Amino acid sequence: MSLRGDYSAATADFSVEQDWGAYGAGEHALFRRLFERQSKLVPRYACPEWIDAIAGLDAGGGIPRFDLISRQLRSKTRWEIVAVPGLIPDEAFFTHLANRRFPVTVWLRKPEEFDYIVEPDVFHDFFGHVPLLFDPVYADHLHEYGKGGLKAMRLDAVKMLARLYWYTIEFGLVTTESGTRAYGAGLLSSGGELAYAVADPKPRRIDFDLDRALRTDYLIDRYQGSYFVIDSFAQLMRETAPDFAPIYARLRALPVLES
Ligand code: PHE
Ligand code: FE
């Protein structure tokens, strides 16, 4: 698979300089347009933790400076952002999370990709993922996930664990006082799937079930057939706390489920 992005300057941990000064005016304007479109949707569809966090970030004016955001994050939850050229290998990704560093892609999509891109860009990574790193419980959970990823590599279970990431961190829903809301970054950064996942009658919305999430396949090129709904980040933390080694061993023998 060939990846978009310039990996030539990446260091051993796949980090790069953001080089904020190199973004053009057109890129900042495109980021702003993406930001404004999603900003109209999130009051109705995003979870309150995300809404609270974005309000404290100076991010609507253009592509944000990662160093400034990291400074805010460090003081709130001891996380920081690390700039990366694009998707990075599992081991590098898990190692960053296990050290409370969230990898954010430096490049922005092209204007013709306004509605849809396959690989994550700076808009998806920043708008979707970064605000929730300000929530202490979510932040701790993602740290645990990173450590769990390194463990899953040793147990040859990354594929199963990646499904959990997909149905929580990327496409997760949560029950709130104002009804079902999105906390998954793939939803929060999507012009179409956000409202679809939260409010359309078509998809299944399943109460979070660890075994089922670990077993459910996903498709990267269309809306999900099923979404998993947690009742709180504390539930996610609690239900993913047990040792996954025996769970992987048990689930490995069972058939994979369709989304
Ligand atoms: N508890 C999991 C394990 O023992 C690790 C993990 C934590 C996985 C949080 C996902 C989320 O492997
Ligand atoms: Fe993502």
Side-chain angles (χ1 to χ4, degrees), residues 102 120 124-125 129 165 170 185-186:
F102 193 83
H124 163 80
D125 282 341
H129 288 284
Y165 190 88
E170 294 293 354

Side-chain angles (χ1 to χ4, degrees), residues 136-217:
V137 181
Y138 180 97
D140 284 349
H141 168 259
L142 199 57
H143 182 198
E144 293 305 317
Y145 180 91
K147 292 191 276 177
L150 294 170
K151 175 170 156 185
M153 288 185 75
R154 297 192 295 273
L155 297 169
D156 193 23
V158 170
K159 203 165 173 183
M160 273 189 264
L161 187 66
R163 295 189 190 120
L164 175 67
Y165 190 88
W166 188 264
Y167 288 112
T168 57
I169 305 300
E170 294 293 354
F171 291 94
L173 299 176
V174 57
T175 303
T176 73
E177 281 175 8
S178 23
T180 305
R181 295 289 178 115
Y183 72 92
L187 297 176
L188 291 163
S189 65
S190 163
E193 192 165 1
L194 178 54
Y196 178 82
V198 171
D200 195 282
K202 279 192 280 302
R204 266 187 297 273
R205 296 181 188 83
I206 304 164
D207 285 344
F208 183 75
D209 173 331
L210 179 65
D211 284 13
R212 187 156 172 187
L214 289 167
R215 286 180 63 194
T216 304
D217 234 346

Side-chain angles (χ1 to χ4, degrees), residues 110-123:
K110 299 273 167 273
E112 56 273 23
E113 298 167 305
F114 192 75
D115 287 315
Y116 186 74
I117 46 160
V118 180
E119 286 172 53
D121 71 341
V122 60
F123 183 73

